[in-house]
Amino acid sequence: MSSDTRSAIVTGASGGIGSAIAAMVHEEGFALTLVGRDPAKLEAVASTLSAEPGPPVHIVAGSLADEAFMARVVDEHLQRYGSLDLLINNAGVAGNRAVGEITADFLDEQLAVNIRAVILLTSKCLPLLKEAVQQRKSAQVVNIASNAGKRGEATLSSYSATKFAVVGFTESLHDELSTSGIKATAICPGLVNTRMADDYRDTVGPEEMIAPSDIAEAIRMTIRVSRSCVVPEVVLLRPIEWRQPEGA
Ligand SMILES: NC(=O)c1ccc[n+]([C@@H]2O[C@H](COP(=O)([O-])OP(=O)(O)OC[C@H]3O[C@@H](n4cnc5c(N)ncnc54)[C@H](OP(=O)(O)O)[C@@H]3O)[C@@H](O)[C@H]2O)c1
């Protein structure tokens, strides 16, 4: 691999949005570390990408709820690629539940994956992102939030709270790091056609949902803009969705 090849970590790369992002980032010429829990699904994504010409693809399987696993991800990426140009915190879990039905297990999984892992993995990747800035003058963190991180919705309160936190964390990253060459971007999609949308299929057809490739294309734009341009947030909505309550 050439020393100017950029590299990326994509979490949740075995899933709908994550595998679309991984394909786009590989097309853009990044060497990859793909992260998810299910090794077979990760291997399937990696072999599809490796069948195309391009930089190497590495997988690391485990749970991002585990801090030691996050450290392993960063270490394996460091051993292979030496620096990190792009961290995409995409892994997430959701669930519909009325407030009175929320249990500690339900809440703790969402907090662990949707926000704790985003903050801790970013923190652990910072030395590698700084190394990429030294080598190639810029690096980027992309956090997949949600439209639920812009507007609270009935039965999605705990998920929405974690995604508001992702938006807040990304704004803080932008404020703290953007002048050092590390850009931070929050992506806030409405309903996307993945298994996470399964609870909505009775009322919303797949053709009415945002495509995973739409999210990948929005991220492609944030990667391609010049070093002097940061895209701090992208909101992607279906035509009937809006991020503020009606009448606000
Ligand atoms: N679909 C939507 O409507 C929508 C809308 C807005 C935002 N989002 C956000 O987009 C992101 C991707 O979601 P998706 O729609 O692609 O859902 P998905 O198909 O369910 O994919 C979720 C991904 O996260 C991974 N993951 C979950 N828990 C994990 C853990 N503990 N450790 C490591 N990886 C874990 C899954 O890996 P394994 O399956 O291998 O465990 C999978 O790769 C999420 O952050 C989600 O909140 C989704």
Side-chain angles (χ1 to χ4, degrees):
M1 194 178 100
S2 134
S3 63
D4 21 299
T5 301
R6 294 172 296 171
S7 70
I9 295 175
V10 181
T11 72
S14 52
I17 294 175
S19 54
I21 293 171
M24 176 280 293
V25 174
H26 195 246
E27 256 172 43
E28 291 292 310
F30 288 74
L32 290 177
T33 296
L34 305 181
V35 181
R37 282 171 305 187
D38 185 330
K41 285 197 285 176
L42 278 181
E43 192 55 66
V45 174
S47 13
T48 306
L49 298 184
S50 300
E52 301 295 324
V57 181
H58 175 60
I59 65 169
V60 195
S63 175
L64 289 162
D66 173 8
E67 189 179 5
F69 173 70
M70 289 183 241
R72 178 154 78 85
V73 169
V74 178
D75 190 51
E76 291 197 18
H77 188 90
L78 169 67
Q79 298 312 323
R80 270 166 187 76
Y81 306 127
S83 63
L84 173 67
D85 298 86
L86 178 62
L87 168 63
I88 302 195
N89 284 306
N90 165 74
V93 288
N96 289 79
R97 219 175 255 200
V99 176
E101 308 297 322
I102 292 175
T103 56
D105 284 354
F106 180 80
L107 176 61
D108 287 347
E109 187 191 16
Q110 293 181 25
L111 290 171
V113 182
N114 296 3
I115 185 61
R116 180 178 180 271
V118 170
I119 295 174
L120 287 177
L121 187 61
T122 303
S123 170
K124 290 178 195 307
C125 285
L126 209 49
L128 283 178
L129 292 161
K130 287 180 174 165
E131 181 58 32
V133 173
Q134 286 295 316
Q135 292 178 14
R136 287 174 287 278
K137 306 234 173 352
S138 98
Q140 187 177 358
V141 179
V142 175
N143 295 326
I144 309 303
S146 172
N147 186 37
K150 306 300 294 182
R151 172 187 176 166
E153 203 178 304
T155 78
L156 274 180
S157 58
S158 52
Y159 177 75
S160 187
T162 64
K163 294 301 187 176
F164 268 75
V166 172
V167 170
F169 175 63
T170 313
E171 281 184 11
S172 302
L173 273 185
H174 174 67
D175 203 39
E176 190 169 320
L177 296 175
S178 59
T179 54
S180 73
I182 302 175
K183 302 178 181 189
T185 304
I187 305 290
C188 304
L191 194 64
V192 184
N193 187 16
T194 69
R195 72 179 174 187
M196 198 178 272
D198 286 352
D199 286 348
Y200 299 86
R201 295 197 188 279
D202 287 348
T203 50
V204 188
E207 72 292 343
E208 295 173 280
M209 296 181 192
I210 297 167
S213 59
D214 293 329
I215 311 305
E217 287 308 316
I219 296 172
R220 193 197 298 272
M221 176 274 288
T222 74
I223 295 169
R224 283 192 171 190
V225 293
S226 72
R227 277 203 293 272
S228 41
C229 175
V230 185
V231 184
E233 185 175 290
V234 181
V235 179
L236 299 103
L237 300 176
R238 295 183 298 133
I240 67 150
E241 290 172 332
W242 186 238
R243 61 184 196 166
Q244 295 300 330
E246 285 77 7

